[in-house]
Amino acid sequence: MLSKSNIILTDAMRADYAIGAFNASNMEIAQAIVRAAVAKQSPVIVQTSEGAIEYAGLSVMAQIIKTIAEESNVPVIMHLDHGKSIATVKRCIEAGYTSVMIDNSTLPFQENIKNVAEVVAYAHARGVWVEAELGAIVGKEGVKELHGSATPDSFLTDPKQAMEFVEKTSIDSLAVSVGTIHGAFTGQEYIRFELLEEVERAVSHIPLVLHGASGIASEHLQKACKGHVSKVNVDTELRVAFEAACGEYFKTTHESYDPRSILGPARDAIQKVVEEKIDLFGSSGTSKIY
Ligand code: G3H
Ligand code: ZN
């Protein structure tokens, strides 16, 4: 069933587990994510980036996720990931998204606050949950290039600013920059737990969101989910599984020309990765009627 974030994420925050948020850009990936959640009887978040919306079309992607959610027996949240413009966020809310992220983390602090507060006013009037980011995450969705002496540490979340940001915007969840990196596995990414705990103390009343989870060591992710973060975003590891399965297919010659023989095993490969993550984040068996 299509569900809202509010109770699901606050339940996770109170009970020391996290809900997995997985990126989808087509039918097979969305199906794989929800099939995994059904197999693990866990709530799940299916999210689309602006790039996925551009690729598939907003109404098409929204209808695919809504239909798959309604046909499942677990709570499924339909979320906009890294919404950059207020216009896109509003379009997604009109299309039935039950949760949105406005990511203006690369803008000056006061501008970030102003835009996010505008989105919160619009979304809350329509019962929609809002995630926003403070501090920026290096990689495809955030700081695309490091200039001069900048390192990923140059964009970490400032706990003091976090308190002001949450107070002035009334957001429902905060995406933090604590050392993870979007995309490929650089080996530089790891979670700075001392900073994560400082941010958590500064904004203890709302759930925190960890981005860039691909490539992070399982034991570190598990530790983060036990009481620090309530939503974990995973994208690249799903893409890697998808491509690996397609690669397997093309290693052998085939009589028939049937895309289902390529996309079917790729869907199963993604389902397996999502099931492993749901176990790791601790939300298996927590599904209930919300
Ligand atoms: O918002 C999406 C995520 O932060 C994905 O990051 O590709 O490193 O898993 P990832
Ligand atoms: Zn992200």
Side-chain angles (χ1 to χ4, degrees):
M1 79 275 320
L2 190 63
S3 299
K4 292 184 178 290
S5 292
N6 41 3
I7 307 171
I8 292 171
L9 286 183
T10 39
D11 274 2
M13 183 170 76
R14 293 205 186 97
D16 289 353
Y17 60 83
I19 305 295
F22 304 95
N23 289 70
S25 55
N26 66 22
M27 176 193 79
E28 284 80 6
I29 301 173
Q31 284 177 321
I33 296 166
V34 176
R35 286 178 182 186
V38 170
K40 293 293 176 180
Q41 280 301 295
S42 166
V44 76
I45 301 170
V46 180
Q47 59 188 20
T48 60
S49 64
E50 292 197 350
I53 289 171
E54 206 180 307
Y55 168 77
L58 175 58
S59 53
V60 171
M61 213 51 220
Q63 218 43 55
I64 286 173
I65 298 170
K66 269 193 256 181
T67 307
I68 295 169
E70 290 305 342
E71 290 176 359
S72 81
N73 66 357
V74 294
V76 177
I77 295 162
M78 181 160 75
H79 177 77
L80 168 64
D81 185 34
H82 292 287
K84 300 292 181 204
S85 74
I86 297 177
T88 302
V89 171
K90 289 181 176 176
R91 283 176 57 224
C92 288
I93 292 174
E94 296 315 319
Y97 278 59
T98 54
S99 177
V100 291
M101 178 186 187
I102 174 72
D103 177 4
N104 280 186
S105 58
T106 54
L107 297 183
F109 185 54
Q110 292 308 330
E111 213 177 323
N112 191 0
I113 287 178
K114 182 174 104 9
N115 294 347
V116 170
E118 181 181 336
V119 164
V120 168
Y122 185 90
H124 284 184
R126 292 159 180 79
V128 172
W129 177 279
V130 180
E131 172 186 334
E133 183 172 318
L134 184 68
I137 297 163
V138 173
K140 60 182 187 304
E141 290 290 356
V143 179
K144 296 199 174 34
E145 260 178 75
L146 293 176
H147 298 292
S149 60
T151 69
D153 282 10
S154 317
F155 308 97
L156 298 174
T157 300
D158 173 340
K160 289 193 199 58
Q161 271 198 339
M163 204 186 290
E164 181 184 350
F165 184 68
V166 171
E167 265 160 29
K168 290 191 173 162
T169 60
S170 303
I171 52 172
D172 303 296
S173 57
L174 177 68
V176 292
S177 176
V178 290
T180 56
I181 291 173
H182 276 132
F185 316 122
T186 66
Q188 286 177 31
E189 61 268 16
Y190 74 98
I191 301 172
R192 288 152 178 72
F193 281 98
E194 68 292 346
L195 174 61
L196 180 57
E197 285 155 17
E198 257 192 273
V199 176
E200 200 190 331
R201 280 193 295 277
V203 294
S204 56
H205 60 294
I206 65 166
L208 300 184
V209 180
L210 189 73
H211 281 245
S214 292
I216 298 290
S218 296
E219 63 275 16
H220 290 162
L221 282 178
Q222 206 160 34
K223 179 178 172 192
C225 295
K226 280 200 172 51
H228 300 296
V229 301
S230 305
K231 175 177 181 270
V232 179
N233 286 21
V234 184
D235 183 8
T236 306
E237 280 187 44
L238 277 61
R239 298 171 184 222
V240 169
F242 189 94
E243 287 195 18
C246 297
E248 271 314 301
Y249 176 85
F250 290 111
K251 274 193 194 137
T252 48
T253 53
H254 302 273
E255 296 308 313
S256 68
Y257 301 97
D258 184 349
R260 292 167 294 181
S261 314
I262 306 168
L263 296 171
R267 179 173 55 194
D268 299 342
I270 290 178
Q271 179 176 345
K272 187 167 172 298
V273 172
V274 174
E275 287 186 18
E276 287 159 7
K277 295 296 180 190
I278 288 176
D279 279 340
L280 193 61
F281 302 160
S283 68
S284 297
T286 63
S287 174
K288 62 184 181 190
I289 305 300
Y290 279 98

